[in-house]
Amino acid sequence: MSKKNWWQPPRRFEDAQNERKVSWLELFYDLVYVACIGQITGQIAAHTDGKDIGYAVLFFVFIYWSWINGTQYYELHGNDTVRTRWFVFLQMLAVGAVAISAPAAFRGDVFNFTVSFLVIQGVIIYLLASVSFYDRSHIKLSGPFLLCYGAAFVILFISIFCPPAAVLPLYLLAIIINMFAPVLSARYFNKNLASRGKQFSASPALVERFGQFTIIVLAESILSTVSGFSMINSRSLLVWGIFCLSISIAFLLWSLYFDMTNEQELKTGYRYYQFFVFVHLVLLGALGVFGACLKNLAGHFETPVSPVLNRIIVISLAIFLAAMCVVGRLITDDDQQTKSYRRQVTRWNIVVILLLITASVLLKDCSVFCLLLTVFLLLAIPVVVGIVTWLKHEDHSEKQSD
């Protein structure tokens, strides 16, 4: 790194690199979110009542949105300078502080949690303001974000001095205002690009970052399973069978996501990218809840699965499959093979959603093994259908080429 790169201004929006690789700094930045997600899923595993799941969803949205802001900033304005590294490191410190303060926040002590998010919010406000400072033409694009993020910052700051009953409503208001920023900026964003004869297109590297974040959430499912089973003294055949089913279900979820999105690009247009962002919020939240439930099942193999836990597992998987159907609609169809694969998997995802709901009603007071086996068999349907569809088209293509 030369001296001129020590403290360079942010990269201009016009100089965004569509063809680039995900940097090691971005991968390192993503790792700190493992700790945050682990804390949240751990709390859900310990307490599966509605209140704690509500807290978990709220905190997860904060964490996800902070990751989105950091990811998008680096994509559009990041460069290999000391300045970029410093602010990435500062964000990582704040996210780590969120992970440390999360358990206390679940107990109602949200002071440290709020202060940590104020730091994250303040950093992204400064970064966006600095982009407009160095490039005056960018103020119309960053203006709505600065307005919304500044208002959310004030609301979070006010919540520090409010009674506990008022904190959560203020949190919710801050989240809504934060999420309104891209909606408010869409008009200016599209108009700016249209004036230059362009349309927004999410780079492959940006789409890949969502896959990496999904891997982080899926890894928590595996870690939850392993940590849960490590506390069990018995190593009977039943225990090993349940363990294998748990890991196999995580593998099927991985297959459903990455077979659908692997090496595929988003449809051109800013609205498709925004749908992609919000759908992933729902998708990843559902995966996180399911992973926490897997840990909760460990050690309760001799008793039937509680109706509440049964419903949470089924609902989270149904939400994940529904979100995957939407993701499939946002991906470009490059060829007939991809189009046919996506169409078949989407159809069977809908069928499996209905079967999961039916199974949750019929399988009352079922054992852990019975529940996981049912889930495994149902999730295997779209995976197998997708593989068969893909192979059929490959055979057809080979015959035509011969």
Side-chain angles (χ1 to χ4, degrees):
M1 184 182 295
S2 61
K3 290 183 179 179
K4 68 178 183 179
N5 288 331
W6 283 7
W7 199 270
Q8 287 288 307
R11 190 175 68 232
R12 297 196 314 158
F13 174 74
E14 290 78 5
D15 300 329
Q17 302 170 346
N18 192 56
E19 297 295 333
R20 72 177 186 87
K21 293 182 178 180
V22 177
S23 69
W24 292 111
L25 182 61
E26 290 172 282
L27 294 174
F28 188 49
Y29 170 74
D30 289 348
L31 285 178
V32 73
Y33 286 90
V34 175
C36 281
I37 295 172
Q39 291 283 21
I40 291 176
T41 56
Q43 291 295 323
I44 299 175
H47 311 282
T48 54
D49 57 86
K51 179 182 176 181
D52 282 294
I53 290 180
Y55 273 111
V57 170
L58 193 62
F59 295 160
F60 178 80
V61 174
F62 266 118
I63 292 168
Y64 176 77
W65 204 249
S66 70
W67 176 82
I68 283 292
N69 285 322
T71 298
Q72 289 181 159
Y73 176 83
Y74 194 96
E75 168 71 16
L76 298 176
H77 308 292
N79 44 33
D80 189 17
T81 66
V82 171
R83 180 182 186 274
T84 298
R85 294 185 181 188
W86 160 249
F87 282 107
V88 168
F89 175 66
L90 188 59
Q91 287 175 295
M92 292 177 68
L93 282 177
V95 174
V98 169
I100 293 173
S101 57
F106 275 91
R107 297 192 298 268
D109 182 8
V110 297
F111 177 81
N112 292 323
F113 190 84
T114 305
V115 171
S116 301
F117 266 110
L118 281 171
V119 174
I120 296 173
Q121 192 90 357
V123 168
I124 197 63
I125 290 173
Y126 170 80
L127 289 174
L128 291 175
S130 68
V131 172
S132 299
F133 175 80
Y134 288 106
D135 181 9
R136 298 294 182 182
S137 64
H138 195 269
I139 187 63
K140 286 188 176 181
L141 298 179
S142 60
F145 286 91
L146 290 172
L147 178 64
C148 292
Y149 289 177
F153 182 92
V154 172
I155 291 171
L156 286 174
F157 182 77
I158 292 173
S159 72
I160 295 177
F161 308 99
C162 293
V167 171
L168 289 183
L170 289 175
Y171 271 20
L172 185 59
L173 180 60
I175 288 173
I176 293 172
I177 293 175
N178 270 335
M179 290 185 168
F180 190 68
V183 178
L184 192 63
S185 69
R187 177 187 173 187
Y188 300 101
F189 199 88
N190 291 326
K191 187 176 180 180
N192 181 280
L193 289 174
S195 65
R196 290 179 283 164
K198 296 181 180 180
Q199 275 190 305
F200 179 82
S201 177
S203 71
L206 183 57
V207 176
E208 185 181 344
R209 292 292 300 281
F210 283 89
Q212 290 164 358
F213 200 78
T214 303
I215 284 289
I216 290 173
V217 178
L218 272 174
E220 281 301 320
S221 298
I222 295 177
L223 288 173
S224 296
T225 301
V226 172
S227 61
F229 278 85
S230 66
M231 296 184 292
I232 300 172
N233 295 322
S234 172
R235 292 293 184 270
S236 64
L237 186 60
L238 175 64
V239 171
W240 283 113
I242 293 174
F243 172 77
C244 291
L245 280 174
S246 301
I247 299 298
S248 299
I249 289 170
F251 180 76
L252 290 175
L253 294 173
W254 173 88
S255 299
L256 286 168
Y257 181 88
F258 286 96
D259 286 346
M260 182 75 77
T261 61
N262 184 38
E263 297 183 359
Q264 301 297 324
E265 296 183 1
L266 286 182
K267 292 180 178 178
T268 303
Y270 188 59
R271 65 190 179 104
Y272 288 113
Y273 171 67
Q274 290 303 323
F275 275 125
F276 194 71
V277 169
F278 286 109
V279 169
H280 269 77
L281 170 61
V282 177
L283 183 151
L284 294 170
L287 274 183
V289 171
F290 175 73
C293 290
L294 285 181
K295 184 175 182 179
N296 190 276
L297 291 175
H300 303 283
F301 304 142
E302 305 301 328
T303 59
V305 180
S306 68
V308 173
L309 192 57
N310 190 324
R311 284 195 295 269
I312 293 174
I313 290 173
V314 169
I315 291 172
S316 62
L317 289 175
I319 291 174
F320 169 80
L321 292 174
M324 284 306 307
C325 293
V326 178
V327 168
R329 300 289 295 177
L330 303 176
I331 302 292
T332 55
D333 294 320
D334 297 329
D335 49 49
Q336 185 60 38
Q337 185 179 24
T338 303
K339 185 182 295 186
S340 178
Y341 166 83
R342 192 168 296 126
R343 183 171 59 248
Q344 290 294 331
V345 173
T346 299
R347 287 175 179 173
W348 280 101
N349 277 349
I350 296 172
V351 172
V352 171
I353 291 172
L354 298 175
L355 291 175
L356 279 169
I357 296 172
T358 303
S360 68
V361 175
L362 297 178
L363 296 177
K364 292 182 179 179
D365 299 327
C366 66
S367 66
V368 173
F369 181 83
C370 181
L371 175 63
L372 293 182
L373 180 61
T374 302
V375 168
F376 171 79
L377 293 175
L378 291 178
L379 291 178
I381 294 173
V383 174
V384 173
V385 168
I387 293 173
V388 171
T389 303
W390 190 266
L391 293 176
K392 280 184 178 180
H393 275 273
E394 280 199 345
D395 291 340
H396 182 68
S397 300
E398 290 177 359
K399 288 179 181 177
Q400 284 185 332
S401 61
D402 292 340

